[in-house]
C-alpha cells in the first residue's frame, strides 16, 4: 500500500471536500442548528447513495478500497471539478500499484507503415487510426487542423473517451454530445465483456472522472455500435460543420480502426477547403 493512502490521505481528502461545500451548493436547505461546516455525513451519504456508516469508514481510514462506482458517486455529490477527481484518481492508482504492474497486453499505439502510407494518401481528409481503447495512434494533418483547435489532441496520448467525458470543451465541440458519448461507451463494451484489463482500468478511471455521465450509460443495455453516420462540429475557425464519418476496421491483429471524416454538405466542403488553405471547390460534399 502506498504511503499516501496508508496515512489516510484518501479519507482526509473526502472529509475536506465534504466540509468545504455548503448545502445550498448541492440543493439542500441549510436547516437550523448546523454545528459542522459544509455537509453533514448523513447529507453526503444520502446524495451519493451510500450508508452513513460506510462514509464514516472511508473518512476515518477504516476502509481504503472503495469501488470506482462509490467514488464516482461521491465526486458527483460533492460537485468535484476535474482537478479534484484527477487527484483522487492518483491516490487510488498508488494503492493499486501492486496489480497495475502485472504483465498484460497493451493497446497497440504503433501504426504499420502501410497504414501510415494510406493516411498520407488521404491528405487533406481528416482521418485517424484509433486503437481499441479509443486512443489516437496516428492522424492526417487535415485531422489535426479539424480537431486540434477543439482540444482533442492536447494530451500526449490523445484519447477519444477521455476527451468526451472529462474535457468540458467536448460539449461545446459536439453539437450532439449525448449521442457521441453513447457511442464512446458502446466502443468500450467489447473489451469489458472479455474482461480486458486495460479497458477495465479505463472504465474505472472514467467512472471517477466522468461520474454519472459515464456510469449511467455503462448501465444501459448494449446497443449496436455505429460504423458510419453524420455529426455536427462547432469549430472556432470554420464555424459549424456537418461531417459524414466512416469507421473502417483494420486487420484483427492490429487492434485498430480508421475513422475518416468527409463533408456532408457544400457549406462544410467549402469551410474545410479554407481550413486546409485550398481553393473552395477542391472537396465535394458526399451528402448526409
Amino acid at each position: 500500500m502506498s504511503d499516501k493512502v496508508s496515512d489516510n490521505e484518501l479519507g482526509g481528502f473526502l472529509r475536506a471536500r465534504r466540509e468545504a461545500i455548503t448545502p445550498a451548493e448541492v440543493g439542500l436547505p441549510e436547516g437550523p442548528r448546523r454545528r459542522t461546516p459544509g455537509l453533514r455525513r448523513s447529507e453526503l451519504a444520502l446524495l451519493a447513495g451510500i450508508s452513513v456508516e460506510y462514509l464514516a469508514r472511508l473518512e476515518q481510514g477504516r476502509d481504503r478500497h472503495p469501488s470506482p462506482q462509490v467514488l464516482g458517486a461521491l465526486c458527483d455529490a460533492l460537485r468535484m471539478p476535474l482537478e479534484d477527481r484527477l487527484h483522487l484518481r492518483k491516490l487510488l492508482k498508488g494503492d493499486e500499484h501492486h496489480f497495475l504492474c502485472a504483465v498484460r497486453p497493451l493497446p497497440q499505439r504503433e501504426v504499420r507503415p502501410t497504414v501510415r502510407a494510406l493516411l498520407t494518401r488521404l491528405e487533406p481528409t481528416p482521418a485517424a487510426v484509433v486503437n481499441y481503447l479509443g486512443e489516437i495512434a496516428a492522424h492526417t494533418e487535415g485531422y489535426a487542423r479539424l480537431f486540434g483547435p477543439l482540444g482533442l489532441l492536447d494530451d500526449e496520448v490523445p484519447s477519444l473517451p477521455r476527451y468526451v467525458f472529462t474535457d468540458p470543451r467536448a460539449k461545446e465541440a459536439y453539437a450532439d454530445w449525448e449521442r457521441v458519448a453513447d457511442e464512446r461507451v458502446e466502443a468500450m463494451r467489447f473489451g469489458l465483456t472479455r474482461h480486458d484489463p486495460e479497458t477495465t482500468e479505463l472504465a474505472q478511471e472514467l467512472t471517477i472522472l466522468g461520474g454519472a455521465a459515464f456510469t449511467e450509460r455503462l448501465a444501459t443495455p448494449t446497443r449496436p455500435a455505429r460504423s458510419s453516420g453524420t455529426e455536427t462540429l462547432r469549430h472556432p475557425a470554420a464555424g459549424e460543420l456537418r461531417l459524414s464519418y466512416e469507421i473502417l476496421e483494420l486487420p484483427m491483429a492490429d487492434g485498430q480502426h480508421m475513422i475518416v471524416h468527409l463533408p456532408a454538405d457544400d457549406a462544410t466542403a467549402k469551410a474545410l477547403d479554407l481550413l486546409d488553405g485550398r481553393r473552395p471547390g477542391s472537396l465535394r460534399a458526399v451528402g448526409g
Side-chain angles (χ1 to χ4, degrees):
M1 184 179 294
S2 69
D3 291 339
K4 285 186 177 181
V5 177
S6 64
D7 291 336
N8 194 28
E9 188 170 353
L10 173 62
F13 181 78
L14 290 174
R15 184 173 61 254
R17 292 304 178 274
R18 174 172 64 81
E19 294 176 349
I21 192 168
T22 66
E25 289 178 283
V26 296
L28 295 176
E30 289 286 347
R33 301 179 183 176
R34 182 168 291 274
R35 299 176 181 176
T36 181
L39 295 179
R40 299 185 178 100
R41 275 187 186 149
S42 59
E43 292 169 332
L44 176 56
L46 178 64
L47 290 170
I50 62 176
S51 70
V52 179
E53 292 76 13
Y54 184 56
L55 178 57
R57 292 203 304 272
L58 288 177
E59 289 188 352
Q60 294 166 3
R62 292 183 287 122
D63 188 318
R64 306 186 183 206
H65 303 281
S67 70
Q69 289 77 12
V70 166
L71 286 178
L74 285 169
C75 288
D76 285 352
L78 289 167
R79 306 293 198 270
M80 278 195 198
L82 181 59
E83 294 77 12
D84 286 352
R85 293 176 187 245
L86 287 169
H87 179 68
L88 192 61
R89 179 64 183 155
K90 288 178 182 178
L91 295 181
L92 279 192
K93 285 180 73 68
D95 191 42
E96 294 169 350
H97 182 74
H98 61 283
F99 67 81
L100 287 179
C101 292
V103 177
R104 56 184 171 179
L106 295 175
Q108 182 58 261
R109 294 184 177 124
E110 297 295 326
V111 177
R112 288 186 292 113
T114 51
V115 178
R116 284 193 174 274
L118 179 58
L119 282 177
T120 300
R121 293 278 186 172
L122 287 173
E123 292 285 9
T125 301
V129 175
V130 179
N131 64 23
Y132 72 84
L133 282 184
E135 297 171 340
I136 298 172
H139 55 77
T140 62
E141 289 301 316
Y143 190 91
R145 285 188 289 270
L146 178 60
F147 287 99
L150 304 179
L152 175 56
L153 303 178
D154 284 1
D155 291 341
E156 183 178 353
V157 181
S159 164
L160 287 168
R162 287 191 181 96
Y163 175 72
V164 168
F165 285 105
T166 70
D167 194 321
R169 292 174 293 183
K171 289 189 177 181
E172 295 296 325
Y174 291 107
D176 190 5
W177 181 89
E178 298 286 343
R179 177 193 58 77
V180 174
D182 290 345
E183 292 183 359
R184 283 297 100 212
V185 171
E186 290 307 318
M188 294 176 61
R189 286 194 192 273
F190 178 72
L192 291 172
T193 55
R194 63 189 179 97
H195 306 294
D196 171 68
E198 290 286 340
T199 310
T200 300
E201 170 69 9
L202 177 60
Q204 291 177 347
E205 175 185 329
L206 294 179
T207 294
I208 297 171
L209 303 186
F214 177 75
T215 57
E216 288 176 1
R217 286 177 166 81
L218 200 60
T220 60
T222 303
R223 288 169 289 189
R226 299 178 64 180
S227 58
S228 63
T230 303
E231 63 187 18
T232 301
L233 284 179
R234 302 186 185 100
H235 193 278
E240 188 167 288
L241 305 171
R242 288 188 67 244
L243 296 159
S244 295
Y245 65 88
E246 293 286 338
I247 299 177
L248 311 174
E249 294 294 336
L250 296 176
M252 186 176 295
D254 289 6
Q256 298 171 335
H257 57 270
M258 184 179 294
I259 305 177
V260 181
H261 297 268
L262 296 167
D265 56 34
D266 290 337
T268 299
K270 293 177 182 177
L272 288 181
D273 280 337
L274 293 174
L275 195 63
D276 293 329
R278 294 157 62 97
R279 186 178 64 185
S282 299
L283 288 177
R284 294 186 178 182
V286 298

